[in-house]
């Protein structure tokens, strides 16, 4: 589980005033060249590379870059994507995100992602895992706005602590939410809050049951879902180490997973994505090249 085998950063080497207020706003449009990144407005150390097109011109693969590699106390990152109809964007990251140990002032470490997907557009939000270091203090928000016939596949994988180093989340606090609205109406909202009042969730039967890795995959809206698709997903969950399950919530498919190994969870989510993608958007899976490095 090398992905979570990190050395603890030395907080003393960072100035107490050191913090980033960064944002990145992306605008995608449709042209004769397919789906193109028309605008890229940013402040602070938050960028994207030039889009890649391994599937052809109509699907843009975009790699989100955050050179500092993680959030320290007081940091705030805001990521926003806007598309026009009939565009297809896949956003991922080259490596794990990190939220480092909070400083004594316990200032929040925040990241907000807002994805606006209009009718006939597709968004795939497939970042690599986020590692929450022992004693971090973070708030992570994912807000998805779908309109009309827009479609979405996305996931969030979170590792609490550094289990490969035998370090748990300690006195860390985390407030995570993932919500989807369709035409302004709230359709799905998942939230996990770990603080001094709810720390028992880490070990509780109604919580993470002692598993340091928590994952959520969402896909939809589907016009209809064949039972064979759900059976395939359930079979993949059963074959995977850890605790995983699939449910259908109205027109969305929701997969929740708990594990001791983030790499195994990523493999499970990738396998499920490979099943769901052709059903939802009529395209076979094409993994971003950065995943193979």
């Amino acid at each position: 589980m090398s992905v979570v085998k990190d050395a603890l950063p030395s907080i003393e080497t960072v100035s107490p005033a050191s913090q980033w207020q960064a944002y990145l706003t992306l605008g995608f449009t449709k042209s004769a060249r397919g789906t193109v990144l028309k605008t890229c407005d940013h402040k602070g150390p938050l960028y994207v590379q030039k889009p890649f097109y391994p599937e052809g011109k109509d699907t843009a693969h975009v790699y989100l870059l955050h050179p500092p590699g993680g959030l320290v106390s007081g940091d705030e990152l805001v990521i926003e994507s806007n598309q026009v109809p009939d565009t297809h964007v896949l956003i991922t990251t080259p490596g794990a995100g990190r939220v480092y140990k909070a400083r004594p002032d316990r200032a929040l470490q925040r990241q907000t992602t807002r994805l606006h997907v209009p009718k006939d557009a597709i968004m795939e939000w497939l970042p690599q895992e986020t590692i929450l270091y022992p004693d971090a203090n973070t708030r992570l928000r994912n807000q998805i706005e779908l309109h009309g016939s827009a479609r979405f596949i996305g996931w969030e994988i979170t590792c609490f602590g550094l289990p490969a180093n035998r370090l748990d989340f300690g006195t860390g606090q985390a407030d995570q939410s993932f919500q989807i609205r369709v035409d302004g109406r709230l359709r799905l909202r998942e939230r996990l809050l770990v603080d001094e009042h709810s720390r028992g969730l880490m070990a509780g039967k109604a919580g993470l049951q002692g598993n340091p890795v928590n994952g959520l995959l969402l896909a939809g809206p589907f016009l209809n879902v064949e039972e064979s698709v759900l059976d395939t997903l359930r079979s993949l969950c059963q074959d995977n180490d850890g605790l995983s399950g699939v449910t259908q919530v109205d027109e969305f498919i929701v997969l929740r997973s708990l594990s001791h190994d983030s790499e195994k969870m990523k493999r499970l989510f990738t396998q499920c994505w490979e099943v769901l993608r052709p059903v939802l958007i009529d395209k076979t899976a094409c993994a971003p090249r950065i995943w193979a490095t």
Side-chain angles (χ1 to χ4, degrees), residues 199-210:
R199 203 166 305 283
L201 284 173
M202 299 298 296
K205 287 291 185 181
L208 274 63
Q209 302 184 36

Side-chain angles (χ1 to χ4, degrees), residues 32-286:
R33 294 184 290 124
T35 298
V36 297
L37 178 60
K38 184 177 181 180
T39 59
C40 180
D41 185 21
H42 75 91
K43 174 186 176 183
L46 199 55
Y47 316 96
V48 292
Q49 290 183 328
K50 181 180 178 181
F52 296 92
Y53 295 88
E55 303 180 65
K57 66 179 184 178
D58 292 327
T59 305
H61 286 210
V62 178
Y63 301 163
L64 181 65
L65 307 177
H66 181 226
L71 301 176
V72 300
S73 293
D75 280 1
E76 180 175 17
L77 304 184
V78 178
I79 302 158
E80 188 160 357
S81 172
N82 299 284
Q83 299 171 241
V84 302
D86 199 29
T87 53
H88 182 181
V89 179
L90 185 157
I91 299 177
T92 188
T93 56
R98 290 169 172 80
V99 181
Y100 294 121
K101 178 181 178 180
R103 298 184 183 125
D105 64 7
R106 305 294 294 169
L108 267 176
Q109 300 149 279
R110 294 170 289 177
Q111 178 172 314
T112 302
T113 302
R114 303 188 187 102
L115 307 176
H116 304 274
V117 193
K119 65 178 184 178
D120 299 328
I122 301 166
M123 168 58 73
E124 297 178 87
W125 174 254
L126 308 175
Q128 300 205 48
E129 73 274 21
T130 299
I131 303 170
L132 307 185
Y133 277 60
D135 306 326
N137 184 28
T138 189
R139 185 174 68 200
L140 306 173
R141 297 280 187 263
N142 291 290
Q143 300 168 351
I144 318 301
E145 298 284 344
L146 306 180
H147 299 274
S149 56
R151 286 157 290 170
F152 173 79
I153 304 176
W155 67 44
E156 181 175 59
I157 299 172
T158 308
C159 183
F160 289 85
L162 301 172
N165 297 45
R166 298 185 179 180
L167 294 172
D168 62 23
F169 194 43
T171 59
Q173 299 189 66
D175 184 356
Q176 292 180 277
S177 67
F178 203 125
Q179 71 175 33
I180 298 179
R181 293 182 180 272
V182 178
D183 294 326
R185 181 183 175 188
L186 184 63
R187 303 310 299 267
L188 283 173
R189 187 170 191 266
E190 296 277 330
R191 188 185 182 201
L192 175 63
L193 176 63
V194 178
D195 61 14
E196 66 272 21
H197 304 296
S198 59
R199 203 166 305 283
L201 284 173
M202 299 298 296
K205 287 291 185 181
L208 274 63
Q209 302 184 36
N211 293 280
V213 185
N214 178 58
L216 174 71
L217 185 154
L218 303 170
F222 289 88
L223 294 178
N224 58 72
V225 181
E226 297 289 340
E227 191 63 31
S228 61
V229 174
L230 295 173
D231 288 343
T232 299
L233 295 172
R234 289 172 181 138
S235 178
L236 289 170
C237 289
Q238 290 173 0
D239 293 340
N240 183 69
D241 292 340
L243 300 171
S244 302
V246 178
T247 55
Q248 184 173 353
V249 182
D250 297 325
E251 67 268 46
F252 287 89
I253 288 179
V254 181
L255 189 154
R256 301 176 180 87
S257 184
L258 298 172
S259 179
H260 283 273
D261 191 324
S262 59
E263 288 295 330
K264 289 182 178 179
M265 186 177 291
K266 283 196 291 185
R267 284 197 294 271
L268 171 64
F269 278 22
T270 300
Q271 291 169 340
C272 292
W273 169 68
E274 290 170 348
V275 172
L276 290 166
R277 197 183 203 238
V279 178
L280 182 63
I281 66 175
D282 197 26
K283 290 184 180 180
T284 58
C286 179

Side-chain angles (χ1 to χ4, degrees), residues 5-20:
K5 187 177 289 185
D6 279 290
L8 287 170
S10 175
I11 299 301
E12 288 74 16
T13 63
V14 182
S15 166
S18 175
Q19 61 183 28
W20 288 107

